[in-house]
Amino acid sequence: MTERIVLAYSGGLDTSVAIGWIGEATGAEVIAVAVDVGQGGESLETIRQRALGCGAVEAYVADASDEFANEYCMPTLKANALYQGHYPLVSAISRPVIVKHLVKAAREFGATTVAHGCTGKGNDQVRFEVGIQTLGPDLKCIAPVRDLALTRDKAIAFAEEKGLPIETTKKNPYSIDQNVWGRAVETGYLEDIWNAPTKDIYDYTAAPEFPPAPDEVTISFEAGVPVAIDGVKVTPLQAIKELNRRAGAQGVGRIDVVEDRLVGIKSREIYEAPGAMALITAHKHLEDITVEREQARFKATVGQRWSELVYDGQWFSPLKRSLDAFIEDTQKHVSGDIRMTLHGGQAVVNGRRSETSLYDFDLATYDTGDTFDQSMARGFIELWGMSAKVASGRDIRVAGK
Ligand code: ARG
């Protein structure tokens, strides 16, 4: 029986050519799998037809947009995950859900190998292959760009020679990856890290310099998950989409960073994640009133570690799973409403309320009705500083010898 290979298919030039390229190099049949993670753009049926036109024996489309929002974006929100303090893991969280569907398709179509269009320099090859190794340890991986010398020039020549139904003349100088959680743009002019991004780079956000009137939004959460916007019930996917639209119109969520790739390269990327950044901001502020101090402090370090693991392609790893359990436990009381103003590139929280709040007006107030006994503070401070005071006494004594 002819060997079968499942290919992660985007509909773009590289993966379209990869269908025939893999076929010629290996003699295998190629099954194209396109996964909808809310990337928008062309219809998936158009993409499916293109795969067949490029020689795929089967083309399969998986609608994973709700699954992606519920099982990938929501954990990222609960973790307030920002890799290196900036990047909300847009591409990093889409790879594991794509992997799930690739492995499922490999089983369904009897494939032995999974292929993807990544280069040998990035994080995504790692995320795909570590994920595949974990979910389908018997499956092999192949990356035509990396393993079968499929360069851009060769791809264009191949597409023209074979008359593939794909545009080869439209020159996009950027490498773009997008889904409902955000959009990532790199290469070309951006590789000079002194160059400011130009206007044409952005798609999810309008220029924050010329914002429309401020937009006030109330986001309601239950156990860390957005459940309503301005009182209207929403699913996680709807919440992200609605905030992409409203925060995007105000230019919220533009990020320009040089980040540390897992392979040791520092690389520059421009992100736009209006919905994700508005949600993370709101969620963090709700945690500020509902999560106990020590738990909150510890959670910040857990969230950072979680972000690194996910960035580094360890979505399906045991440690990531254990950290998920911790984060989930912290979210029990993260319920309530956050009011924020979206304007001129900023999402600013200006009101919060929660039935499960730890904010105690009577303890906090400086007005009459104060229930905090200030006389307790003196003794507390005395003991709190004791250890450092004893040490400093020793230091003075030793220095004086
Ligand atoms: N640097 C980001 C990451 O590793 C995004 C990678 C994909 N970016 C792109 N523009 N194609 O998660």
Side-chain angles (χ1 to χ4, degrees), residues 59-342:
Y60 164 101
V61 168
D63 176 6
S65 50
D66 277 299
E67 178 186 3
F68 178 59
N70 296 339
E71 294 169 35
Y72 297 80
C73 301
M74 290 305 106
T76 306
L77 175 61
K78 290 174 183 174
N80 300 317
L82 295 173
Y83 177 66
Q84 292 186 308
H86 300 293
Y87 165 44
L89 298 171
V90 172
S91 304
I93 59 171
S94 76
R95 303 315 174 198
V97 69
I98 295 171
V99 163
K100 252 195 178 164
H101 287 277
L102 290 172
V103 171
K104 193 166 151 238
R107 299 299 180 223
E108 240 163 72
F109 294 103
T112 55
T113 303
V114 175
H116 60 77
C118 304
T119 73
K121 290 178 73 169
N123 298 312
D124 287 327
Q125 55 173 343
V126 182
R127 298 170 184 150
F128 274 120
E129 293 178 32
V130 169
I132 289 159
Q133 278 172 19
T134 316
L135 299 188
D138 54 306
L139 295 169
K140 289 174 287 193
C141 295
I142 186 168
V145 175
R146 181 192 65 194
D147 306 329
L148 303 173
L150 177 57
T151 60
R152 192 86 199 180
D153 293 341
K154 285 193 203 156
I156 292 171
F158 187 92
E160 281 168 359
E161 185 196 316
K162 307 276 172 183
L164 297 184
I166 173 95
E167 180 107 49
T168 54
T169 47
K170 220 172 64 206
K171 255 188 58 192
N172 189 336
Y174 306 113
S175 162
I176 300 170
D177 182 49
Q178 65 188 51
N179 59 56
V180 75
W181 198 238
R183 187 164 173 271
V185 186
E186 65 173 345
T187 70
Y189 168 85
L190 297 169
E191 283 172 358
D192 179 338
I193 61 176
W194 184 248
N195 284 341
T198 46
K199 286 200 223 48
D200 60 309
I201 283 174
Y202 297 106
D203 184 42
Y204 283 16
T205 54
E209 296 86 354
F210 310 102
D215 183 4
E216 194 179 90
V217 61
T218 300
I219 308 173
S220 308
F221 290 85
E222 261 169 40
V225 171
V227 292
I229 292 181
D230 292 331
V232 179
K233 274 187 75 162
V234 286
T235 63
L237 181 65
Q238 289 166 338
I240 302 165
K241 281 187 171 169
E242 171 75 355
L243 288 164
N244 273 344
R245 190 177 65 73
R246 287 171 66 174
Q250 297 284 346
V252 170
R254 288 188 173 184
I255 302 156
D256 176 346
V257 280
V258 174
E259 71 193 34
D260 283 306
R261 280 191 198 162
L262 179 58
V263 296
I265 300 170
K266 284 193 187 287
S267 70
R268 203 266 189 99
E269 191 100 43
I270 308 295
Y271 299 104
E272 310 179 82
M277 294 309 286
L279 280 167
I280 291 173
T281 304
H283 176 261
K284 175 70 180 65
H285 280 256
L286 185 58
E287 284 191 339
D288 289 345
I289 63 164
T290 54
V291 179
E292 183 271 335
R293 181 190 64 200
E294 293 310 312
Q295 207 180 16
R297 288 179 177 178
F298 194 72
K299 180 175 180 284
T301 65
V302 170
Q304 196 181 333
R305 189 75 189 93
W306 190 96
S307 307
E308 289 162 2
L309 287 169
V310 170
Y311 185 90
D312 290 347
Q314 298 289 331
W315 181 273
F316 299 108
S317 74
L319 178 56
K320 146 77 172 49
R321 208 183 312 135
S322 302
L323 299 188
D324 276 334
F326 171 82
I327 293 169
E328 195 55 44
D329 185 64
T330 64
Q331 299 300 293
K332 228 180 286 172
H333 301 301
V334 184
S335 304
D337 301 333
I338 291 291
R339 189 182 61 224
M340 67 201 297
T341 301
L342 309 169

Side-chain angles (χ1 to χ4, degrees), residues 333-356:
H333 301 301
V334 184
S335 304
D337 301 333
I338 291 291
R339 189 182 61 224
M340 67 201 297
T341 301
L342 309 169
H343 190 60
Q346 309 252 54
V348 179
V349 170
N350 54 28
R352 62 288 273 164
R353 65 181 170 206
S354 166
E355 305 268 311
T356 44

Side-chain angles (χ1 to χ4, degrees), residues 1-69:
M1 213 177 91
T2 321
E3 216 190 319
R4 298 188 126 192
I5 296 180
V6 160
L7 168 70
Y9 184 64
S10 70
L13 175 68
D14 296 307
T15 51
S16 293
V17 168
I19 295 171
W21 194 268
I22 293 171
E24 287 191 5
T26 65
E29 290 178 343
V30 175
I31 292 137
V33 175
V35 183
D36 185 358
V37 283
Q39 62 269 49
E42 292 183 308
S43 89
L44 286 165
E45 184 50 29
T46 307
I47 291 176
R48 205 180 79 81
Q49 288 304 331
R50 183 173 309 133
L52 294 171
C54 289
V57 294
E58 306 259 13
Y60 164 101
V61 168
D63 176 6
S65 50
D66 277 299
E67 178 186 3
F68 178 59

